[in-house]
Amino acid sequence: MIDFEEYIEKLRDLIEDNRKIVIISCAGLLFVFVILAFFVARSDMKAKAAKRNRIEETKLVIDQPLMIPEGPIVPSGYITNRKTEKNWSDEEVENWFTQPDSEEVEKLGKANDRIINEIIGAAP
C-alpha cells in the first residue's frame, strides 16, 4: 500500500526548504490563471455581442409604391448636369482663362520649393 503520509511529509520539507521559490511559483500560477480567465471572459463577451448584433436576413416585399423623399426645389433654368466638350472654344478660353504673369509663376515656384524642402528636410 502507498504511504501517503510519507509523501506529504516530503512535500512539507520541500516547501519549508524552498519557501521563496514556492511562493513565487504559486503567485505566477495565480497570475496565469487570472489572465486566462480574463481572456475567456472577453472572448465570451465578444461572442455574445456578435450574436446580439447579427442581422437576420429578411426578404424585401414591395406591396406599396415607393415614396420619393422631399428635397429642395431646383430653380427653373438651373442645370444639374451638362455634357462637357473635350476642348474649350475660343470664347470660353477668352472668358475663363487668365494667362499668369511671370511674377505669379515665380511666387508659385517658391511656394512649391518651400513645400518640397519641408517634406524632404535635411535629407541628402
Side-chain angles (χ1 to χ4, degrees):
M1 191 96 179
I2 300 174
D3 189 15
F4 287 111
E5 293 200 19
E6 181 182 336
Y7 289 115
I8 291 172
E9 194 65 37
K10 287 183 181 178
L11 184 63
R12 283 185 188 157
D13 291 341
L14 180 67
I15 290 172
E16 286 178 13
D17 292 343
N18 302 313
R19 187 172 286 285
K20 282 186 181 180
I21 293 173
V22 171
I23 291 173
I24 291 172
S25 299
C26 290
L29 283 173
L30 182 65
F31 180 74
V32 168
F33 284 129
V34 168
I35 295 294
L36 284 174
F38 172 75
F39 283 122
V40 167
R42 187 172 174 200
S43 67
D44 188 41
M45 286 189 302
K46 284 184 180 180
K48 286 181 181 177
K51 284 182 182 177
R52 272 195 314 263
N53 294 336
R54 188 175 59 198
I55 298 172
E56 296 292 327
E57 268 190 47
T58 57
K59 188 173 183 178
L60 180 63
V61 178
I62 300 175
D63 57 352
Q64 296 179 356
L66 294 176
M67 295 178 58
I68 300 173
E70 291 184 23
I73 299 172
V74 179
S76 63
Y78 185 81
I79 301 172
T80 55
N81 62 2
R82 65 184 177 95
K83 183 179 176 187
T84 57
E85 299 295 327
K86 189 170 183 173
N87 296 324
W88 283 4
S89 67
D90 291 336
E91 282 181 12
E92 289 175 323
V93 169
E94 202 170 299
N95 189 20
W96 299 109
F97 184 71
T98 305
Q99 186 70 31
D101 60 358
S102 60
E103 185 178 326
E104 291 175 347
V105 172
E106 191 174 319
K107 283 182 184 178
L108 180 62
K110 286 180 182 178
N112 288 340
D113 289 341
R114 198 169 32 253
I115 292 170
I116 290 170
N117 286 335
E118 285 179 16
I119 292 172
I120 59 175

